Amino acid sequence: MWKSNQGNQGDLYFTKERSWWTSALAGLLVLLILLFVGCENVLDRIIPERNGNNDAQIISLGTESTMSSLELAQSLVLAVKPYNTEAVYNSIPRLQIEGVDKTDFHQYIQALQHGLSGAITGIQPIVGQDKRAIIALLEAGNPRILELAQASDFYLLTYGRDTSRSGGFVVAIQKRDNGQAYLDPLWVKSIVSINNYMLLYFEAIESRNFASLDSLLRAGIKPRNELEEAALNARCQATLDFYHHKVRTQREQYDLLAIYPGYAQVEQYATTKDQKQKISRLVSFHEVNNQMVINDPVSVTLDNLDLTVKTEDGILFALDASRNNIMVTSVIFDRLLGTPLSHNNNTCYRTSAGKDVFTIEYPGIIISASGSCTDEHQRWSGKLTRAEIFYSNYELGSGLKPGMNINELYVHYPFARENNYLIQSQIDGKTYTLAIQVESDTISKLTITCE
């Protein structure tokens, strides 16, 4: 009996010894595996909480199964943080990022970084009218992009109160026909493309590089004749002059408000050089019919020369430099234009202060003035308040007149369109405005007002 017990104890000893060696070998094997695949990565996935933040948890979302649309949006938020881009890219299942390589993704995230400048505190889905408003921005661009937008989920990334930025920034996650969320390579590369275009545009301005700016604008405008070439040159020079003489700004003072394939909008913070006032400006880039249209609201000033109106036979009226107003009189108008088409009690009345206010129509031009009218409307004179010009036999001091191609206007005022075809100047507290009416790329009416 004693021998038998002793034998059992020996067997137990050898069993425990083998168990210890087995555990030791297993532990060594696990350690070798950790070292081989990367201890840090494995531990991050096994115990993501060890870093004390949510980044590792979200980055690992897609390792076991596909990500939802919301999870992909969350991943984009994480990817803009320093050193997270590659980890996020690796965490997204290949099926959901097929066709987007690491370079594409990195450049895509760089583009988003200009818009995600603050701490994101919320992610809200965009639906209904708000989504339709975004899609409407893309209707004039690439038809394939429009299809992707219509099938995408849009999310508004909102900021906390600790930032000066209001509103939020929008990202889009594409959806396949089966409902699976993914990042489409065309969408990603198109955003990279418009972001690069914007950077080149502002870089050309900052370096005052006329040739670079001309090359960028030429790709969108595509001038077809000498007149369009002249308008393009005028636009380039006016842009450089504005940024050099009127405002002071730097590239880091650009805040990306929105970026989609074929559309982007930037809020630009600047200081005026004359009055040293801080201003903000909205600059947009919009692809329309395969052409990039840049809406950069460069301010324009009405040339005093265009406060002169003349015919082939002489000057009808002009700004009086000594009085800083425009005087009109029947002596000149009747001599050059003949008898007015209308001027009677219905178009002329006297104010309580004894001043006559009247409107007179001649062929192709209607004027309004304040002054005196005598001899039953046969004689009149006063200060011009408004003049509407319809006929091509009237022209402004610079040569602009109805019937001209719109590019003639752009040669003189390159940013007339961006200023809603309203060109103004301030003279001794008075505002002179030239309003241009355009129909079918032709100047149809010129209106001068004085207030």
Side-chain angles (χ1 to χ4, degrees):
M1 179 70 69
W2 179 83
K3 288 183 178 179
S4 174
N5 289 339
Q6 188 178 29
N8 291 338
Q9 290 176 356
D11 292 340
L12 180 62
Y13 173 81
F14 286 115
T15 300
K16 289 181 178 181
E17 186 175 23
R18 283 194 301 270
S19 176
W20 183 87
W21 277 104
T22 301
S23 299
L25 288 173
L28 181 60
L29 180 61
V30 170
L31 180 60
L32 289 174
I33 292 174
L34 288 173
L35 291 174
F36 180 77
V37 302
C39 180
E40 286 297 317
N41 289 339
V42 172
L43 290 178
D44 279 347
R45 297 187 183 280
I46 296 175
I47 317 174
E49 298 85 354
R50 74 189 189 98
N51 289 329
N53 58 45
N54 294 326
D55 288 11
Q57 296 176 4
I58 298 179
I59 288 175
S60 64
L61 282 173
T63 57
E64 301 299 332
S65 61
T66 60
M67 287 184 172
S68 68
S69 175
L70 177 60
E71 289 169 343
L72 277 176
Q74 291 172 329
S75 294
L76 295 182
V77 174
L78 292 177
V80 302
K81 296 184 179 182
Y83 313 112
N84 272 7
T85 304
E86 185 173 355
V88 170
Y89 177 83
N90 291 333
S91 75
I92 300 174
R94 297 306 91 188
L95 184 63
Q96 292 181 276
I97 202 169
E98 185 178 2
V100 179
D101 61 27
K102 285 187 177 180
T103 300
D104 294 331
F105 188 74
H106 181 74
Q107 292 177 338
Y108 174 57
I109 296 302
Q110 282 185 320
L112 299 184
Q113 282 175 331
H114 296 291
L116 299 173
S117 56
I120 302 300
T121 57
I123 302 180
Q124 304 172 8
I126 298 176
V127 296
Q129 183 59 39
D130 292 334
K131 179 177 178 178
R132 288 192 290 271
I134 295 174
I135 293 174
L137 295 172
L138 311 179
E139 289 179 348
N142 186 330
R144 175 58 183 146
I145 290 294
L146 180 60
E147 291 178 6
L148 290 174
Q150 292 169 335
S152 293
D153 288 337
F154 290 87
Y155 294 94
L156 177 67
L157 312 181
T158 56
Y159 294 85
R161 295 181 179 179
D162 58 339
T163 175
S164 60
R165 180 164 181 172
S166 60
F169 187 79
V170 177
V171 296
I173 305 299
Q174 288 68 65
K175 299 289 286 293
R176 292 192 171 99
D177 292 340
N178 62 4
Q180 184 184 65
Y182 76 110
L183 296 179
D184 190 272
L186 177 60
W187 188 278
V188 168
K189 293 176 182 179
S190 296
I191 284 185
V192 171
S193 177
I194 194 169
N195 182 65
N196 290 339
Y197 188 97
M198 286 193 301
L199 293 178
L200 290 172
Y201 176 77
F202 290 120
E203 183 178 321
I205 290 173
E206 188 174 350
S207 61
R208 291 185 58 79
N209 192 324
F210 184 96
S212 295
L213 185 59
D214 177 86
S215 177
L216 284 171
L217 298 186
R218 182 178 299 275
I221 296 174
K222 298 178 181 178
R224 296 164 295 181
N225 50 52
E226 291 184 2
L227 181 57
E228 292 184 359
E229 282 279 355
L232 172 59
N233 290 337
R235 184 180 183 89
C236 289
Q237 194 59 56
T239 301
L240 297 178
D241 289 344
F242 173 78
Y243 278 94
H244 182 66
H245 298 296
K246 299 293 184 180
V247 299
R248 181 184 295 107
T249 185
Q250 296 178 351
R251 242 181 303 178
E252 57 267 22
Q253 294 174 303
Y254 300 162
D255 195 359
L256 182 64
L257 300 184
I259 187 166
Y260 311 108
Y263 180 84
Q265 186 180 60
V266 171
E267 184 172 13
Q268 181 189 72
Y269 304 99
T271 304
T272 60
K273 290 189 176 181
D274 51 357
Q275 300 177 355
K276 300 188 183 303
Q277 294 178 332
K278 292 184 178 180
I279 61 173
S280 65
R281 307 172 64 251
L282 294 180
V283 182
S284 65
F285 301 79
H286 199 175
E287 183 181 342
V288 179
N289 299 325
N290 296 320
Q291 295 184 355
M292 186 63 69
V293 176
I294 303 174
N295 191 333
D296 190 348
V298 171
S299 62
V300 294
T301 301
L302 179 61
D303 188 343
N304 287 352
L305 192 63
D306 283 332
L307 294 175
T308 296
V309 174
K310 56 189 178 181
T311 68
E312 293 180 353
D313 299 321
I315 296 177
L316 276 175
F317 60 79
L319 177 69
D320 186 336
S322 62
R323 298 182 181 180
N324 288 328
N325 57 38
I326 299 173
M327 298 299 298
V328 290
T329 173
S330 58
V331 174
I332 295 176
F333 272 69
D334 290 352
R335 176 173 59 83
L336 296 176
L337 306 181
T339 303
L341 299 177
S342 67
H343 183 201
N344 50 45
N345 290 336
N346 294 326
T347 60
C348 181
Y349 69 92
R350 181 160 294 178
T351 67
S352 58
K355 184 175 292 186
D356 293 317
V357 177
F358 46 88
T359 298
I360 308 171
E361 181 178 359
Y362 288 88
I365 185 171
I366 300 174
I367 65 166
S368 299
S370 175
S372 65
C373 182
T374 61
D375 298 339
E376 296 183 353
H377 310 297
Q378 296 302 307
R379 296 175 183 270
W380 53 265
S381 65
K383 294 180 181 180
L384 181 78
T385 57
R386 183 182 180 88
E388 299 178 62
I389 303 168
F390 306 90
Y391 287 1
S392 60
N393 54 324
Y394 303 96
E395 67 177 43
L396 307 185
S398 66
L400 290 176
K401 60 183 179 180
M404 274 188 166
N405 184 279
I406 191 62
N407 286 289
E408 292 279 7
L409 173 65
Y410 295 152
V411 170
H412 292 86
Y413 300 107
F415 289 89
R417 176 177 58 83
E418 286 79 1
N419 287 270
N420 296 317
Y421 296 104
L422 297 174
I423 317 298
Q424 294 185 328
S425 64
Q426 301 283 334
I427 303 174
D428 286 352
K430 296 180 181 179
T431 302
Y432 291 88
T433 304
L434 171 63
I436 303 99
Q437 184 172 317
V438 178
E439 296 179 5
S440 302
D441 292 334
T442 301
I443 300 173
S444 60
K445 184 171 75 170
L446 298 170
T447 302
I448 297 173
T449 58
C450 175
E451 299 176 348

